Amino acid sequence: MNEPPERMQAAGDEGALRATALPPGWDEAVRLDEDPATIPDPASVEVPADLRAEIEGYMARYPDRHSAVLPALAAAQRVHGWCSEQAIDQVAAVMQVTPAYLSSVATFYDMLRTSPIGSRYVYVCTSVACHLRNAKSVYDAIAAEAREQGLEDVELREFECLGACDMAPMASIDGRYVGPLSEEDAGELVSALREGRQALPGRGLSDPGYRLPWEDGGAAPDRPGPPEEPDVHPAGGTWKEAELLDVPPAEDTREGAPPPPEPLSPGTSYAGERIDPATRDREEEEEER
C-alpha cells in the first residue's frame, strides 16, 4: 500500500489530520534568465499510437483544445501510472501546448498524480454524506487489510467527495464507483486488488444491472433523518395540521400604534415616505401646471 506524503500526518503536529505538500519549486524565485517555455516539436517526441488517438479524440470534442487538458492528462496517467515528465511531454506534443502549462494543471487537480505513488488507486470517500454512513471505519478497515495482506503498488487514501452520495459509503477503484461498502467488504476488496481481479463484481455503478440494495426490496439503510411529523416548537419546525392549532391572531396592544406600512416598491427594500393622499393630489396638480 502506498500513501502519498501529503496525506501523512504533519511531523511534530499530532493534531494535524492531513499535511498538504506544496508542488516542488513553489518557493523558488522566477528564473528570468532561462529561455521561455516552448512547445515540443511533435516529430521529436515519441507518443504511443493509442494515447495519441485518445488525446486527439478529446481535442475534437471542444472548439478550444485547452478544454481537453484534463482528460488528456488522465489518459497519459493511465498509460504511465502518473503524470511523469515523459507523460507531460507527450501530451504537450500532441496538444501543442507548453509542458509548463500542463504541469500547472496537474499540480492543481487532486486526481492527477505528480509522483509515482502507485499504478492503481482506491479513493474512499469520507465527505459529508459518506461520513454519516461510517465511511471512516470503512477506510480504516481497508487500510488495515492492505497492511495485513501486503498490498503494493496501490494508492489508498481518503477523498473529499466523489459525487455518488446515493451509494454512500463508496469508493472509486481505478475510476470504478463501488458501493455501498461496509467494513466486511475490506478483505475481499483488497484480495481482488492483489490478485488482479475485479473488486466486488456487480457492486460497481458501471456494472450491468447495478441497483442499490434497497431498490430491489431489500432493507433500506438505517440512516438518520427528520421524523415524519416534526414537533412544533417556538424555535421553528413544521406545522402538523393548521386546524389542530388554535393560534389567536396577533394584536398590537400599544397605544397609538402606527398603521401597517405600505408594501415595498417592486425590486426595492424601501417602502417610501408615507404621504397623505390629499397632499399627494395637490402636489400632482402643481406638477401638471
Side-chain angles (χ1 to χ4, degrees):
M1 176 183 67
N2 302 84
E3 291 186 344
E6 60 269 22
R7 298 294 165 186
M8 300 298 185
Q9 190 178 57
D13 184 1
E14 297 180 356
L17 296 178
R18 299 183 181 90
T20 303
L22 296 169
W26 70 273
D27 56 349
E28 297 178 3
V30 177
R31 296 185 288 272
L32 300 176
D33 56 332
E34 292 190 357
D35 295 332
T38 58
I39 297 175
D41 181 1
S44 64
V45 180
E46 184 177 352
V47 184
D50 292 344
L51 177 59
R52 178 186 295 275
E54 186 173 359
I55 294 174
E56 290 176 345
Y58 292 134
M59 293 169 60
R61 301 179 185 181
Y62 303 98
D64 185 344
R65 67 181 186 279
H66 293 83
S67 300
V69 165
L70 284 177
L73 286 172
Q77 180 170 270
R78 287 192 294 271
V79 173
H80 296 274
W82 61 295
C83 291
S84 62
E85 184 176 348
Q86 180 185 16
I88 287 180
D89 285 343
Q90 290 175 353
V91 176
V94 177
M95 296 192 66
Q96 287 296 280
V97 296
T98 64
Y101 170 70
L102 296 178
S103 295
S104 68
V105 175
T107 55
F108 180 84
Y109 287 95
D110 207 17
M111 297 179 75
L112 295 173
R113 302 187 292 276
T114 54
S115 58
I117 299 172
S119 61
R120 306 186 67 185
Y121 65 85
V122 178
Y123 297 158
V124 181
C125 178
T126 53
S127 192
V128 176
C130 288
H131 174 74
L132 296 176
R133 299 289 300 143
N134 209 22
K136 187 62 168 64
S137 296
V138 173
Y139 168 80
D140 291 341
I142 296 174
E145 282 288 342
R147 288 190 295 268
E148 183 176 337
Q149 298 188 32
L151 183 63
E152 297 179 349
D153 197 31
V154 175
E155 177 192 7
L156 171 63
R157 64 181 173 93
E158 300 177 50
F159 207 83
E160 180 61 27
C161 183
L162 290 164
C165 304
D166 57 338
M167 57 193 302
M170 55 81 61
S172 173
I173 304 176
D174 296 327
R176 176 172 166 261
Y177 280 20
V178 180
L181 296 173
S182 67
E183 298 176 38
E184 289 73 22
D185 296 321
E188 171 58 25
L189 190 153
V190 173
S191 297
L193 289 171
R194 289 185 65 251
E195 299 168 7
R197 298 183 286 107
Q198 185 185 65
L200 305 175
R203 303 273 298 279
L205 187 61
S206 58
D207 296 355
Y210 170 80
R211 292 175 63 84
L212 293 169
W214 46 89
E215 292 180 340
D216 291 325
D222 184 17
R223 61 185 64 187
E228 294 183 0
E229 293 187 356
D231 293 332
V232 179
H233 51 85
T238 302
W239 299 102
K240 295 179 180 179
E241 295 290 343
E243 59 270 17
L244 298 180
L245 300 173
D246 185 14
V247 181
E251 296 181 359
D252 194 336
T253 59
R254 295 174 299 169
E255 295 183 2
E262 295 181 358
L264 299 180
S265 301
T268 71
S269 59
Y270 175 65
E273 182 181 358
R274 177 174 294 277
I275 302 176
D276 181 72
T279 304
R280 181 188 301 113
D281 295 341
R282 185 170 60 256
E283 289 179 351
E284 290 178 355
E285 290 177 2
E286 292 177 355
E287 290 179 359
E288 292 178 357
R289 295 174 185 172

